[in-house]
Amino acid sequence: MTEVDPQHEPEPMPLRPDDVVPQRFPRFVYEGGSEPDPRFSLANERTFLAWVRTALALVAAGVALEAVSAPITPGLRMAVALLFVAMGVAAAVQGWVGWARTERALRRGQVLRGPSFGALLAVGLVLAAVLLVIGLLL
Amino acid sequence: MSGGAGTPDAGSPASSPFDPGLQLERTLLAWQRTCLSLVIGSALCVRLLAAVDRAPVVPVALGALVLSAAGWATAVARYRRSHDSLVRDHRRLAAGGTLITCTAVAALLLAVGGAAFVVTTGGR
């Protein structure tokens, strides 16, 4: 293992006059501030990807409940399945919005904000689990 | 890291990784497993769609496969470009948010498909 010096920060080199900085999408993320440490941007990107996989897992959970016709009252089963799918949508939106806000904050040296839908997803998951247990017991 | 998909040739001057934590390589792996998740999600979508009469199964399956493969290839190309930019040029990431936005849209589309399935077949 190579010893990693915690003081070692890869400094971005100053732009040369002939460097062309291409316009990057979305503009509201990249329009201001300065280039952050690439490792922070990469970590932000991996967090986004983790949210996408979470979204897919939540949607799959909802679809699976109906696809395998879980032994629950049909109305309740559909409600829980829709709850799972809605949380999947929320996770995907949270992933993108969180990525954009974090990247923007990194560029501007601002404080990073936590996931705004985090509490919503936690409450939704608990609710879905409770409804599932009730459905299975009924 | 030499010889694998998306990694530079061992003999090239830029064959060593950008940082000891292999952040760029870990990010490539995260993209690849997300692409695999999207392929599996699309496959499930197509499998469930096949039960519907006269559903456009083949175009949807081909479209999902091509889009997922394009996502994978773009992620690998993005990795190579970022590696070159980080190692050779200015320690700057040559990557924007286009692929990220497309991936979020793909996940949302799958979620809409899932909602449609639950609404149309649920409650029985």
Side-chain angles (χ1 to χ4, degrees):
Chain A
M1 279 302 289
T2 319
E3 279 296 315
V4 180
D5 179 7
Q7 298 299 315
H8 170 75
E9 292 287 326
E11 282 295 317
M13 293 181 198
L15 283 179
R16 294 187 301 249
D18 57 341
D19 277 335
V20 178
V21 181
Q23 185 70 57
R24 285 187 282 177
F25 176 83
R27 191 176 286 189
F28 79 93
V29 169
Y30 290 106
E31 67 187 350
S34 58
E35 208 62 17
D37 186 330
R39 295 173 299 179
F40 298 164
S41 296
L42 289 168
N44 186 25
E45 205 169 298
R46 289 197 298 276
T47 307
F48 161 77
L49 292 170
W51 273 113
V52 167
R53 293 192 298 272
T54 304
L56 292 180
L58 286 167
V59 173
V63 170
L65 274 181
E66 288 294 345
V68 303
S69 297
I72 308 172
T73 323
L76 187 59
R77 186 176 66 207
M78 187 171 165
V80 177
L82 280 179
L83 183 57
F84 269 118
V85 174
M87 283 193 292
V89 171
V93 171
Q94 162 62 45
W96 192 86
V97 171
W99 168 81
R101 286 207 318 199
T102 302
E103 196 64 27
R104 191 179 149 91
L106 281 175
R107 294 183 66 84
R108 289 152 187 255
Q110 292 166 342
V111 177
L112 301 184
R113 283 189 278 179
S116 35
F117 290 173
L120 192 76
L121 279 171
V123 170
L125 267 180
V126 170
L127 186 64
V130 168
L131 286 177
L132 267 183
V133 169
I134 291 174
L136 286 170
L137 291 177
L138 281 180
Chain B
M1 283 299 294
S2 64
T7 55
D9 300 331
S12 80
S15 61
S16 53
F18 154 68
D19 76 323
L22 298 176
Q23 302 259 352
L24 196 55
E25 287 70 20
R26 280 156 57 195
T27 308
L28 175 64
L29 289 172
W31 273 108
Q32 290 176 336
R33 53 179 187 271
T34 306
C35 280
L36 282 178
S37 304
L38 283 171
V39 169
I40 293 167
S42 316
L44 280 177
C45 235
V46 168
R47 174 71 187 80
L48 295 172
L49 196 65
V52 181
D53 270 347
R54 290 189 294 171
V57 176
V58 173
V60 169
L62 280 178
L65 199 63
V66 167
L67 279 179
S68 303
W72 180 292
T74 311
V76 171
R78 199 167 178 270
Y79 163 78
R80 283 176 174 271
R81 209 170 54 236
S82 300
H83 176 81
D84 279 352
S85 174
L86 287 170
V87 171
R88 291 194 180 137
D89 302 337
H90 311 291
R91 294 188 174 280
R92 276 163 207 284
L93 265 186
T98 311
L99 184 61
I100 289 173
T101 307
C102 291
T103 308
V105 170
L108 277 179
L109 279 179
L110 277 177
V112 169
F117 171 77
V118 170
V119 169
T120 51
T121 69
R124 287 180 205 160

